[in-house]
Every structure is written in structure tokens, then in C-alpha cells.
Amino acid sequence: MITIIGAGIAGLSLAWELTKRGAEVTVLEAGTVASGASGVATCYLEPRLGDTPMRRLERASLSAWPDFVAVLEAESGTRVGFRDAGQLRVALPADVEQLETNTAERKAEGTPFQRLAVTDAIAREPAISHAIGSAVFLPHVRWVNGRLVCTALARALRARGAVVLEHASVAKIEEAGVVSADGRRVNHEKLVLCNAMGANALFGRPADMPEARAVRGVNLVLDMSGLGEPIRHMIKHRSGNMVPADETRLIVGTTYEAGVESLDVDPSVIERLYAHAEPILPGVRDLPLIEVNAGLRTKVADGKVRLGRSKISPDVYFSLGHAGSGYLRAPVIAPGFARYILDGEVSDDLTGVIPGTAAN
């Protein structure tokens, strides 16, 4: 019997993999499914550059996403908004040198890219500024609707007989069980903390657990139905990104505010997002604002993801510090970590990611 705290992408994808291996799983969520950062993330799937165990894991996970989506949609009956139109990376004249440096690094690593003439970039996305100075197309970048992914995972879990409890805030950890804020006890053989910032405040939390710190991300959701043609690619520029959630909604983001834990967004933050986007998408202020989203990405220590097991309380595991890459890594981290929890085995993909197996 395994209890998971946190119904975001980390907790739900892990629970799904555990049930595939026959485990009895209960997921406890203080709010609702994907009510934290997982529900407001832009959810683009783009491995970072570099040759480390984590970068290799990210590349493998990106390749695994189409199969992950196919199985999840078939099992849950829910479409998750998976899109693979690629990323249009653009630079204003002042930022061309930075884009050239990034492109040179991609070439050295063998990452696919296609240089575009500015006219070709504008032909692909007619709404962008004619003043851009350079453009590169990254065909491998994909994205997904995070809220739909988490909803689908919760449905798939319940169909498998797992328990997903919302509004079930955990007050403390006890031996072989947790106690909810309303006094209910949920017993377990193993406990996995996937609740990001919430893990810091748990009474009874093992002292050797990593402590998370907040990095707030804010984005705007705009109605782009008034554009002559909707944005179809993910667009990335030096100061932010634009991600089409569907044919009518455009996500414009995203801030990176270290140490900010408030979800109340000051008007100056909204203005900053508009100001960063406007040179790339001149008509952005004319698009109706649907909602402003804020979420707390979490990092720990040196900023690397932390998967592992407490030495003080060996029945307690943790999956923390996913920052902005939880969705990207889920198809590889979830099955690998499930294997570690159930069998104590570290898969090749997680060698160098779980502490003690190698440096990542």
C-alpha cells in the first residue's frame, strides 16, 4: 500500500506507473487535481542543452511522449492537447548574437534545427513582428495541456481502482501512516512526497528530506481568435514565450521570480509580460485577457531534481524540485522511480539522478 501526497504531474504520473505494476495506491491532494503549478504551467517539452544524465533523460523522455499520450488517452478517454508543431525561436536585432550562440551549441550537439529567413518565419507566423532580426525552427519541440494531462491521469488511476482524494490536506506524518487536517488517518507501507512546497511544512517530515524553495511563474492566457491566423507554433524569444493552448487561447509567459511565494499577481508583473511580448507580437495588447495564472515551481539546493528515499525513515520517498520540467521528464522518471520504490532497483535512465548512483 503506497500513499502519494500531491496530485500534480509528478505524483499522478508516478501513481499511474505504480498501479501498472500492481501496487495499491492512494493519492492525497490538499486542493484539487493540478491545482498547483502543474495546472498553470505552459507545458512545453524542450530538453535543455548539455551532456549530463539529466539532459540525456530529457531527450529520452521527449521521444517517449507520443507513446505516453497514446496510452493515457486510450485508457482515460481524455484528449490531452498534445501538439508537435515545433518551436519558432526568434530574436530582435539586439538579441541575434545570443540566438547565434545557442544555435552553434545545438549544431555542436547534433540537436535538430533549421535556420529560417525572417520572411520565412513571418510566413509561418504572420502575426509576429517584421522587425525580428533572426529566426530558427526547432522541429522536435512539443507541448501539452497540463490540466488535461493531470485530469486524464486521475481518471485512469480511478479506473484502475486507485484512490485520488481531493481537498485532503495532510497535517502530519506518523509511523506507517499520515493524518489529514480533519483527523483522518491513512495507513501506508510506503509514502511518497510529491507535493513540492507543501512538503516543507509537514509535521514529522524526516530531517534528511530536501527542502524546496519557490520560483513563481506567471503567465497570461489571451483570446487570439481575433488574429487573422492563430499562432500555431510555440514561439520563444529572449524574454519569454508564447504557446498556443488550442485554436483560440494563447499562453504568454513566463516570469521567473525566485523566492516569491504569493500567488497574488501585481499589475506591474502583468505589464512586464505584455512589454516583453509586444516587440515580438505587436498586437498582443489587443487580445482579450482570459485569465492570469500564477504557480510556484520548486527547486532544491543546487536546483537539480531530487528523487530518493529517506535514510532516517526508510518508508518515506520523495520526488521534488522538478522546477519547470516536470511534464517533460514524466514519461521516463515516473516508471523509473516506480521501479525504484517497488524493487529498489535504479534503472539506467535514473542512474545519476537518484542520489548515490552518480553525479548529475
Side-chain angles (χ1 to χ4, degrees), residues 8 13 186 283 331 355:
S13 60
V186 179

Side-chain angles (χ1 to χ4, degrees), residues 151-191:
T151 297
L153 284 167
R155 288 177 179 171
L157 283 165
R158 287 168 173 144
R160 285 176 171 270
V163 176
V164 180
L165 291 178
E166 300 176 290
H167 305 295
S169 178
V170 174
K172 62 180 176 178
I173 300 172
E174 296 182 336
E175 184 176 354
V178 296
V179 179
S180 68
D182 61 4
R184 289 180 295 168
R185 180 181 167 89
V186 179
N187 295 325
H188 61 252
E189 296 171 358
K190 296 179 180 180
L191 172 68

Side-chain angles (χ1 to χ4, degrees), residues 54-312:
M54 183 56 76
R55 300 296 86 76
R56 292 191 289 273
L57 182 152
E58 289 175 353
R59 291 191 289 271
S61 199
L62 177 65
S63 297
W65 256 97
D67 288 342
F68 181 87
V69 167
V71 174
L72 178 58
E73 289 186 338
E75 189 168 322
S76 66
T78 303
R79 303 283 289 181
V80 299
F82 179 72
R83 303 181 73 171
D84 60 359
Q87 180 190 106
L88 188 61
R89 186 170 285 228
V90 300
L92 295 168
D95 302 326
V96 167
E97 183 177 350
Q98 184 198 48
L99 180 57
E100 286 298 314
T101 298
N102 181 272
T103 303
E105 292 172 353
R106 292 180 184 281
K107 184 176 181 179
E109 289 195 2
T111 304
F113 70 91
Q114 177 186 352
R115 291 183 180 275
L116 295 179
V118 170
T119 53
D120 291 334
I122 294 171
R124 290 183 183 227
E125 294 291 357
I128 65 173
S129 172
H130 289 214
I132 63 171
S134 184
V136 173
F137 178 61
L138 307 181
H140 63 292
V141 177
R142 298 158 172 168
W143 63 98
V144 72
N145 185 311
R147 291 177 185 173
L148 294 181
V149 170
C150 290
T151 297
L153 284 167
R155 288 177 179 171
L157 283 165
R158 287 168 173 144
R160 285 176 171 270
V163 176
V164 180
L165 291 178
E166 300 176 290
H167 305 295
S169 178
V170 174
K172 62 180 176 178
I173 300 172
E174 296 182 336
E175 184 176 354
V178 296
V179 179
S180 68
D182 61 4
R184 289 180 295 168
R185 180 181 167 89
V186 179
N187 295 325
H188 61 252
E189 296 171 358
K190 296 179 180 180
L191 172 68
V192 191
L193 304 186
C194 299
N195 56 332
M197 291 297 294
N200 289 350
L202 283 175
F203 184 82
R205 170 182 175 273
D208 60 347
M209 288 279 299
E211 185 166 333
R213 65 181 191 273
V215 178
R216 188 175 73 168
V218 178
N219 59 50
L220 312 177
V221 181
L222 307 178
D223 180 353
M224 62 172 174
S225 57
L227 291 177
E229 293 185 32
I231 302 296
R232 300 195 179 279
H233 303 83
M234 178 195 167
I235 299 175
K236 194 166 188 178
H237 54 99
R238 183 171 187 172
S239 301
N241 53 68
M242 304 171 200
V243 182
D246 51 40
E247 293 299 310
T248 62
R249 293 181 305 130
L250 180 68
I251 301 172
V252 173
T254 303
T255 66
Y256 186 95
E257 301 169 85
V260 179
E261 297 187 20
S262 172
L263 296 180
D264 295 326
V265 180
D266 187 272
S268 65
V269 176
I270 298 173
E271 170 57 29
R272 186 162 73 247
L273 286 167
Y274 277 123
H276 287 165
E278 191 169 24
I280 305 299
L281 185 63
V284 67
R285 293 182 187 270
D286 298 327
L287 305 180
L289 177 63
I290 298 173
E291 60 185 3
V292 178
N293 289 324
L296 301 181
R297 313 178 188 94
T298 57
K299 290 194 171 187
V300 296
D302 53 7
K304 297 173 183 176
V305 65
R306 282 294 178 268
L307 307 175
R309 182 181 191 180
S310 169
K311 293 181 180 179
I312 296 174

Side-chain angles (χ1 to χ4, degrees), residues 286-353:
D286 298 327
L287 305 180
L289 177 63
I290 298 173
E291 60 185 3
V292 178
N293 289 324
L296 301 181
R297 313 178 188 94
T298 57
K299 290 194 171 187
V300 296
D302 53 7
K304 297 173 183 176
V305 65
R306 282 294 178 268
L307 307 175
R309 182 181 191 180
S310 169
K311 293 181 180 179
I312 296 174
S313 302
D315 63 328
V316 180
Y317 297 76
F318 50 87
S319 177
L320 302 169
H322 295 277
S325 298
Y327 282 97
L328 168 60
R329 301 167 181 164
V332 169
I333 281 186
F337 199 39
R339 177 180 170 185
Y340 176 74
I341 292 169
L342 293 176
D343 305 324
E345 298 179 5
V346 179
S347 64
D348 290 343
D349 288 320
L350 295 190
T351 298
V353 177

